[in-house]
Amino acid sequence: MKVFETIFEESGMLRAIMSGGNPSTMLRTSGITERFDAINAFFSELKGLVESNPKAMLPDLFKYLETIEKHNLFIKKRGGLPRAGSRGRVRLMTAHRSKGLEFDHVYIIGAYDGHFGGRRSIERLPLVNSVYNLGHNELSSKQPNIEDDLSRHSSEGAEADERRLFYVAITRAKKGVTITYAKQGADGREQLPSQFIGEIKKDLIEELSAEGGPAFGWEKDFEEKKHLLFSVAKSSSTPGVGASLTPGVIPDFAADQEFIRNIFERQGLSVTALNNYLECPWNFFYSNLLRLPKAQNKHMMYGTAIHRALKDFFLQLKNREIPKENLIDSFELYLNKQPLNDRDLKEVLEKGRESLSGYYDQYYKTWERNVLTEFEIKGVDILAGRGRSSKEPEVRPQGAIIHLNGNLDKIEFIDSSNSVNVVDYKTGAPKSRNDIEGTPRLRSGQETKHKKMSNYKRQLTFYKLLLDQYENGKYKFVSAELDFIEPNDKGEYKKEKFFIEDSEIVELKEVIVRVVDEIINLKFWDKYCENLDCQYCGLRKLIA
């Protein structure tokens, strides 16, 4: 994994992608997003290969790629960035693949009998019962025809499956569905509409005929202009490397802004993304918006294995007693799936065994067992404040909805009224309360009027904001704590619990509104962080 990341960064591949055209159109050029999608798809495939074989070497990768090429297989894209001008475009998929998705408008094509329902099954020529039971005609005439029953039930089952699939397709729409079918098939035979169309209430249907109606105009328009639809798109950007942006000026500002907003609205804002932005806007841009592929280091892989092991452990602990060995075995299982070299594996394996053993001994008798683990919250919306004046040229978040996301390590139920304590695991060295609070260390007699909220405290405050808005306050946030899995130098395990104040929520909301404003209006474009060696600011210079 690290080899691929190194090649990607040091070979000039990233530079070629970022500067492979006019920088003024870099953000919204479809070629850019497609290349990033392809790289991320390959990186995801590589991660899957490594998880199945942590000891895989470069020859194994080449053999795997040769197999893909030999059999003409496709590497599946997972997610990906929205295409430039993606609004107003159409997504094509099967009815099966549409499950769980929603769209304003859905078009169901090929809704003719035999395709959606009414499939004909080939039946064998029925034989007279006496053929089966020679000499036992009287007995056989009283027996049910099992083969006929099976055929009938099989046909009914297939029809029911088709009906459910048609229902899935229809219910993907939020505003309207258009169902189409051709009256004549490719073989010239006449086709009838699917029987499922006839099962829809008549008052819900508006029939559009292709002969003389609106659909006729659409067909005619398509025939006249299909040479335009299927022609190769011409880029309006100026080719060549080395074009530059005028400092403080972003050409075609509205189009770039629209592209960023499309990505941002789809992804939402997590506390990790927020902290990345506050650390360096370009860290956020590359890590959270464009999502550059990046390999985990040994500390991150260690943390991943710890989190997964604790998730499994607490899921089992709800109903029965779980020995320490189960927790450690689970950790070893997940760690062995990581692409660690022998030296690093031995180091973190020993570290994890020792830490989890002491952690178990310290807390096993006092752990709350009524918990939720790895609780994911998506699409919690907060109102960003009052609406903007119509005279303001910028697209401001005031009055707009901001989508927040998060993943909570553990939620402990304190009582029967859904009061909860949120727990976040930390695998690094335990921090002091002052470090977590963001309180600066002062000399004796010094005072400070300003206390900057730390990433840790912002994370816990963000979780309260999420839970308070989740399903109309389904869970009552009481407290949050950082649970350090490793002991300090004295061998002591620490937990730090916090009660989030309303003023801290107000402060966090103000930060979120400011950050969102800077993101969607590209105010960060000419900003750099204070770290002179920042790799993300260095990447920014590739498009400057």
Side-chain angles (χ1 to χ4, degrees):
M1 299 293 290
K2 189 63 180 177
V3 170
F4 173 72
E5 182 186 342
T6 302
I7 293 174
F8 178 64
E9 292 181 356
E10 297 185 6
S11 66
M13 187 185 302
L14 178 59
R15 179 182 295 273
I17 291 175
M18 300 305 295
S19 59
N22 187 343
S24 67
T25 59
M26 185 280 298
L27 291 181
R28 59 189 183 278
T29 301
S30 61
I32 296 291
T33 57
E34 287 170 359
R35 291 170 199 160
F36 273 118
D37 281 354
I39 289 170
N40 277 302
F42 177 72
F43 197 70
S44 296
E45 200 74 14
L46 194 59
K47 287 170 66 177
L49 175 63
V50 170
E51 284 183 3
S52 61
N53 180 15
K55 302 298 181 183
M57 305 294 285
L58 279 177
D60 299 304
L61 172 61
F62 295 147
K63 184 177 180 180
Y64 178 72
L65 295 177
E66 287 172 1
T67 302
I68 289 178
E69 184 178 19
K70 178 181 178 181
H71 297 283
N72 198 27
L73 302 176
F74 291 94
I75 294 178
K76 182 180 178 181
K77 293 182 180 179
R78 295 168 174 82
L81 299 172
R83 294 287 180 268
S86 58
R87 290 189 177 185
R89 294 194 176 189
V90 175
R91 291 184 61 183
L92 301 179
M93 66 187 69
T94 63
H96 283 288
R97 291 296 301 273
S98 72
K99 290 180 180 179
L101 303 177
E102 282 188 332
F103 306 93
D104 285 343
H105 300 280
V106 169
Y107 293 81
I108 301 175
I109 62 174
Y112 58 87
D113 189 57
H115 183 244
F116 260 118
R119 294 180 185 270
R120 307 293 185 264
S121 58
I122 300 175
E123 298 182 358
R124 297 173 182 171
L125 181 67
L127 300 178
V128 182
N129 284 338
S130 59
V131 175
Y132 291 102
N133 298 287
L134 294 176
H136 299 83
N137 290 342
E138 184 177 351
L139 178 63
S140 64
S141 64
K142 297 179 182 179
Q143 299 298 317
N145 192 324
I146 297 176
E147 188 167 317
D148 286 348
D149 285 347
L150 289 175
S151 176
R152 184 178 70 256
H153 288 307
S154 175
S155 176
E156 291 174 353
E159 198 76 1
D161 288 341
E162 289 284 313
R163 181 176 285 104
R164 282 191 289 269
L165 191 60
F166 191 75
Y167 175 80
V168 166
I170 287 178
T171 53
R172 298 311 90 199
K174 293 188 286 186
K175 294 183 179 179
V177 182
T178 300
I179 304 172
T180 69
Y181 69 95
K183 289 187 175 181
Q184 190 177 71
D187 57 2
R189 295 183 180 181
E190 184 178 355
Q191 294 183 153
L192 298 175
S194 168
Q195 63 178 356
F196 303 145
I197 298 177
E199 296 172 2
I200 302 174
K201 292 182 179 180
K202 299 299 182 184
D203 58 337
L204 299 177
I205 297 178
E206 177 187 359
E207 188 171 348
L208 302 174
S209 173
E211 299 175 359
F216 177 75
W218 300 336
E219 293 281 353
K220 184 178 179 182
D221 194 46
F222 173 76
E223 285 296 327
E224 292 176 352
K225 298 180 180 179
K226 65 181 179 181
H227 65 286
L228 298 176
L229 293 174
F230 299 105
S231 62
V232 178
K234 295 181 179 180
S235 174
S236 60
S237 61
T238 304
V241 179
S244 62
L245 284 171
T246 303
V249 178
I250 303 176
D252 204 355
F253 180 84
D256 285 327
Q257 193 179 47
E258 178 71 12
F259 178 75
I260 290 293
R261 192 183 306 115
N262 284 345
I263 303 177
F264 185 73
E265 286 180 356
R266 190 180 75 166
Q267 295 179 355
L269 185 69
S270 68
V271 69
T272 301
L274 177 61
N275 284 338
N276 282 345
Y277 183 90
L278 295 173
E279 174 192 332
C280 173
W282 292 100
N283 182 1
F284 165 81
F285 180 80
Y286 287 107
S287 299
N288 302 102
L289 276 183
L290 295 188
R291 296 183 177 179
L292 290 184
K294 193 170 184 64
Q296 289 187 324
N297 58 38
K298 66 178 180 181
H299 304 293
M300 297 169 70
M301 288 186 269
Y302 168 76
T304 297
I306 290 286
H307 277 71
R308 290 180 179 176
L310 288 172
K311 175 185 177 181
D312 289 352
F313 177 78
F314 281 106
L315 284 174
Q316 299 175 65
L317 191 63
K318 287 183 178 181
N319 305 315
R320 57 194 176 96
E321 299 299 318
I322 305 297
K324 181 195 302 184
E325 290 72 25
N326 283 35
L327 175 59
I328 296 176
D329 288 346
S330 183
F331 162 71
E332 292 180 4
L333 172 68
Y334 288 118
L335 191 66
N336 279 309
K337 291 183 178 181
Q338 303 297 326
L340 290 160
N341 60 49
D342 291 339
R343 184 184 63 183
D344 288 342
L345 177 61
K346 181 180 179 181
E347 175 191 333
V348 295
L349 191 58
E350 183 178 341
K351 175 183 175 182
R353 286 170 177 164
E354 184 177 346
S355 296
L356 288 175
S357 178
Y359 181 72
Y360 180 98
D361 293 339
Q362 177 75 23
Y363 297 117
Y364 184 76
K365 294 181 180 179
T366 59
W367 267 323
E368 175 58 57
R369 301 194 178 202
N370 185 16
V371 301
L372 297 174
T373 61
E374 295 292 334
F375 188 72
E376 186 177 24
I377 299 178
K378 281 189 174 182
V380 165
D381 298 334
I382 64 168
L383 188 63
R386 295 181 300 174
R388 66 181 177 90
S389 165
S390 60
K391 296 180 180 179
E392 292 180 290
E394 296 175 340
V395 180
R396 294 188 180 275
Q398 281 81 7
I401 298 297
I402 300 174
H403 307 297
L404 304 181
N405 304 313
N407 194 303
L408 284 58
D409 288 342
K410 185 171 67 171
I411 295 178
E412 297 178 338
F413 289 91
I414 299 173
D415 54 35
S416 58
S417 63
N418 276 357
S419 296
V420 300
N421 174 56
V422 175
V423 178
D424 191 75
Y425 304 128
K426 296 298 179 187
T427 53
K431 302 288 183 182
S432 70
R433 195 170 185 88
N434 280 345
D435 288 337
I436 297 170
E437 288 272 17
T439 305
R441 296 180 180 179
L442 304 174
R443 295 178 182 177
S444 177
Q446 282 186 314
E447 294 183 2
T448 179
K449 295 181 180 180
H450 302 286
K451 182 176 70 173
K452 182 181 179 181
M453 186 181 289
S454 71
N455 286 354
Y456 288 123
K457 191 62 179 293
R458 188 180 300 110
Q459 181 181 16
L460 300 182
T461 307
F462 194 95
Y463 289 161
K464 174 173 170 56
L465 183 59
L466 278 177
L467 273 187
D468 285 349
Q469 302 296 322
Y470 179 71
E471 293 190 4
N472 297 317
K474 179 179 180 179
Y475 302 116
K476 300 175 184 177
F477 183 101
V478 174
S479 56
E481 69 181 19
L482 297 180
D483 190 356
F484 294 94
I485 309 301
E486 297 177 23
N488 59 19
D489 295 338
K490 299 178 181 179
E492 301 168 337
Y493 287 84
K494 290 185 60 178
K495 291 183 180 182
E496 293 289 352
K497 181 172 289 190
F498 296 87
F499 298 91
I500 308 301
E501 300 176 2
D502 291 341
S503 60
E504 292 173 315
I505 292 292
V506 171
E507 178 185 347
L508 177 62
K509 282 186 175 181
E510 290 175 351
V511 171
I512 290 174
V513 170
R514 174 178 63 81
V515 166
V516 172
D517 175 51
E518 292 179 6
I519 292 171
I520 66 176
N521 286 300
L522 300 185
K523 292 181 178 179
F524 65 90
W525 195 259
D526 289 317
K527 288 185 178 181
Y528 295 88
C529 70
E530 297 176 356
N531 181 6
L532 298 179
D533 297 322
C534 176
Q535 61 172 316
Y536 302 105
C537 291
L539 291 174
R540 161 64 177 93
K541 295 173 183 177
L542 293 179
I543 55 174

